[in-house]
Amino acid sequence: HRLHVTDKQIDCRYCHPTPERSLNAGLPSVRKCLGCHDRIIPHHEEIEKLRSYRDAGKDLPWVRVYYNPDHVFFPHYRHIRKGVQCQECHGEVETVDRLRKVTFYMGFCIDCHEKRNAPRTCTACHQ
């Protein structure tokens, strides 16, 4: 993330295009990555892996790092529309090379909802 966001100043929404209108922010396809990397460091071993996925007609095997319990309903679009910045939940991802796994627990969300005077009814998150 640091290289793309901070060093190259690529907007988060270029790779994560749907936070304003979807439950999740979206992940880039192999075509999106290779749109740049077919020309930028094309022979790097990680870029060669991307090309092998594309050539095999496979999706990228993204590894999930952010977890909400299965019974939690978390629509990104509601939070983005209310002005919640990505960093408030995900941390300063623009400063790290690799994301670490994070599980969001109820207390984290309740604290944020209290600070913002957001709904704290059970059905706000549990549907």
Side-chain angles (χ1 to χ4, degrees), residues 25-52:
L27 293 170
S29 67
V30 69
R31 288 181 61 206
K32 173 78 73 170
C33 299
L34 289 173
C36 297
H37 284 296
D38 267 340
R39 292 175 286 298
I40 300 169
I41 60 169
H43 301 295
H44 187 280
E45 66 182 89
E46 293 299 318
I47 306 308
E48 294 289 347
K49 283 185 199 176
L50 291 174
R51 200 170 286 106
S52 71

Side-chain angles (χ1 to χ4, degrees), residues 99-124:
L99 301 179
R100 61 182 178 83
K101 289 187 177 188
V102 176
T103 299
F104 295 106
Y105 294 101
M106 190 169 161
F108 176 84
C109 299
I110 292 291
D111 289 346
C112 185
H113 277 229
E114 285 176 351
K115 288 177 192 167
R116 292 178 167 274
N117 199 26
R120 291 181 297 278
T121 60
C122 296
T123 56

Side-chain angles (χ1 to χ4, degrees), residues 4 12 14 27 29 32 53 72 88 94 105 116:
H4 289 93
C12 301
Y14 181 75
L27 293 170
S29 67
K32 173 78 73 170
Y53 286 111
V72 174
E88 292 181 58
E94 67 275 12
Y105 294 101
R116 292 178 167 274

Side-chain angles (χ1 to χ4, degrees), residues 8-108:
K8 302 298 180 187
Q9 298 187 344
I10 299 170
D11 187 276
C12 301
R13 285 174 176 84
Y14 181 75
C15 296
H16 303 285
T18 60
E20 293 95 352
R21 62 184 187 277
S22 181
L23 293 177
N24 61 56
L27 293 170
S29 67
V30 69
R31 288 181 61 206
K32 173 78 73 170
C33 299
L34 289 173
C36 297
H37 284 296
D38 267 340
R39 292 175 286 298
I40 300 169
I41 60 169
H43 301 295
H44 187 280
E45 66 182 89
E46 293 299 318
I47 306 308
E48 294 289 347
K49 283 185 199 176
L50 291 174
R51 200 170 286 106
S52 71
Y53 286 111
R54 180 195 59 197
D55 294 348
K58 295 182 178 178
D59 291 331
L60 292 174
W62 290 108
V63 175
R64 187 176 188 150
V65 292
Y66 293 107
Y67 294 88
N68 282 323
D70 289 339
H71 60 275
V72 174
F73 177 69
F74 182 88
H76 274 80
Y77 67 89
R78 277 192 198 157
H79 293 81
I80 296 295
R81 289 177 186 170
K82 292 290 185 180
V84 177
Q85 298 297 307
C86 303
Q87 292 86 345
E88 292 181 58
C89 297
H90 295 287
E92 295 181 2
V93 297
E94 67 275 12
T95 66
V96 298
D97 292 325
R98 298 276 181 241
L99 301 179
R100 61 182 178 83
K101 289 187 177 188
V102 176
T103 299
F104 295 106
Y105 294 101
M106 190 169 161
F108 176 84

